[in-house]
Amino acid sequence: MKIIVGSRESRLAVIQSELVMEAIRLSHPEIALELVTMKTTGDRILDRTLDKIGGKGLFVRELDAALREGRADLTVHSCKDLPMDLPSDLPIAAFSRREDPCDALVLPVGAASLDTGRPIGCASARRRVQLRELFPGVEVQPIRGNVLTRLQKLDAGEYGALVLAVSGLKRLGLEARISRRFSPQELLPAAGQGILAVQCREGMDTSFLGCVRDQEATLCALAERAFVRELDGGCSSPVAAYAAVSGESISITGLYVDDAERTSRGTVQGPAGQGEELARELAQKLKEEAVCRAK
């Protein structure tokens, strides 16, 4: 049996795909694996922010086509980069164990503190809105490109700091670049941050992916994505959600941002198996509170 794994060609994407492939190799040495990389539309267009060119769905278009055409059997994504509404013929086959879900402040090489005279670079509206609350008066500017490209721009003096996902830095072996780890209470992560999602074709036997699937991460990913979906937020939206499982219970914290970029946060707890329903209820509650506040 041979499985072809499709991936974006960035170093981080390849490392993430190899993590999934290594788990399969260890549990199923009889399966031959091949990695195929490709550049996506989102990787090619770097002069505009994602919300101006169609959102993070541009990072999966070519990979979806590869699945449908049989050029790949599985594709591996950062869960936070997947659109909230997926085509029914390309379901998610597995969510991996979660790496650290938090965001990190990264300073230029040699810097001991944040230079507030230079902008903080970040790639998402979710981070931008929250950073303005954490660092009042400090300019926040968009930055595009993969993690290594962004670090080059930072070290060249274009920015005073970057905000990047801890999980990506750790997987790249760049954990030493972290100057400050933001707790979820300080900077709420993107839905699915730190989790890898494996996509396949409908009807495919994916029983061999039991070695990749993580029950706790699956419950969290489904709840977080349900919260964002309920608010019609895509993966480029300021909307954010973070869930944590403890025993048979799940806690979900959500962030809603209105058109004036005023934020509302809330937390709900309940049975772990009802995470998606709880998340949708929290989303509606925060939206209603924001509407009342605006009147």
Side-chain angles (χ1 to χ4, degrees), residues 5-63:
V5 180
S7 169
R8 291 167 60 190
E9 65 180 19
S10 75
R11 182 177 171 189
L12 178 57
V14 168
I15 287 172
Q16 293 178 162
S17 296
E18 288 176 340
L19 288 172
V20 170
M21 293 169 71
E22 183 60 20
I24 296 172
R25 284 192 190 99
L26 289 173
S27 296
H28 299 280
E30 74 281 5
I31 297 178
L33 295 166
E34 178 184 348
L35 180 64
V36 174
T37 63
M38 58 199 76
K39 188 183 288 290
T40 68
T41 303
D43 296 313
R44 294 190 187 98
I45 304 174
L46 298 175
D47 60 342
R48 284 165 284 170
T49 56
L50 291 173
D51 58 330
K52 298 294 192 299
I53 60 174
K56 289 187 177 180
L58 296 176
F59 288 125
V60 303
R61 183 180 297 168
E62 284 78 3
L63 293 170

Side-chain angles (χ1 to χ4, degrees), residues 60-126:
V60 303
R61 183 180 297 168
E62 284 78 3
L63 293 170
D64 284 356
L67 281 176
R68 290 192 174 104
E69 296 165 10
R71 292 182 285 114
D73 301 304
L74 302 174
T75 53
V76 179
H77 308 271
S78 293
C79 182
K80 69 183 181 66
D81 290 341
L82 275 179
M84 294 302 144
D85 293 310
L86 296 173
S88 59
D89 63 325
L90 300 177
I92 295 175
F95 291 107
S96 76
R97 182 188 64 82
R98 189 169 218 164
E99 180 53 91
D100 190 322
C102 296
D103 284 314
L105 186 74
V106 179
L107 299 178
V109 170
S113 60
L114 175 64
D115 179 358
T116 58
R118 294 188 180 186
I120 298 174
C122 74
S124 73
R126 169 191 64 84

Side-chain angles (χ1 to χ4, degrees), residues 278-295:
L278 291 166
R280 288 190 290 267
E281 291 174 358
L282 175 62
Q284 286 299 325
K285 177 184 177 183
L286 293 181
K287 188 172 183 178
E288 290 168 5
E289 288 177 354
V291 170
C292 292
R293 183 182 60 198
K295 289 182 178 178

Side-chain angles (χ1 to χ4, degrees), residues 60-221:
V60 303
R61 183 180 297 168
E62 284 78 3
L63 293 170
D64 284 356
L67 281 176
R68 290 192 174 104
E69 296 165 10
R71 292 182 285 114
D73 301 304
L74 302 174
T75 53
V76 179
H77 308 271
S78 293
C79 182
K80 69 183 181 66
D81 290 341
L82 275 179
M84 294 302 144
D85 293 310
L86 296 173
S88 59
D89 63 325
L90 300 177
I92 295 175
F95 291 107
S96 76
R97 182 188 64 82
R98 189 169 218 164
E99 180 53 91
D100 190 322
C102 296
D103 284 314
L105 186 74
V106 179
L107 299 178
V109 170
S113 60
L114 175 64
D115 179 358
T116 58
R118 294 188 180 186
I120 298 174
C122 74
S124 73
R126 169 191 64 84
R127 287 174 177 147
R128 185 192 71 237
V129 169
Q130 296 182 85
L131 285 170
R132 286 175 178 168
E133 295 178 349
L134 283 170
F135 301 101
V138 178
E139 185 181 3
V140 180
Q141 286 187 358
I143 183 171
R144 292 290 315 282
N146 62 43
V147 171
L148 297 178
T149 298
R150 295 182 201 181
L151 288 173
Q152 289 173 356
K153 293 179 179 180
L154 171 70
D155 294 335
E158 295 182 37
Y159 299 87
L162 298 180
V163 175
L164 299 168
V166 171
S167 57
L169 291 166
K170 290 180 70 172
R171 288 168 180 154
L172 285 165
L174 296 171
E175 192 171 2
R177 292 298 308 260
I178 296 174
S179 299
R180 173 180 174 181
R181 176 185 176 276
F182 297 105
S183 70
Q185 291 72 37
E186 293 176 304
L187 208 165
L188 201 64
Q193 188 156 304
I195 300 171
L196 302 180
V198 183
Q199 212 169 353
C200 68
R201 284 186 298 278
E202 185 181 23
M204 180 178 174
D205 179 4
T206 59
S207 57
F208 65 93
L209 287 174
C211 58
V212 177
R213 295 188 185 102
D214 184 273
Q215 183 179 8
E216 185 173 312
T218 298
L219 291 169
C220 291

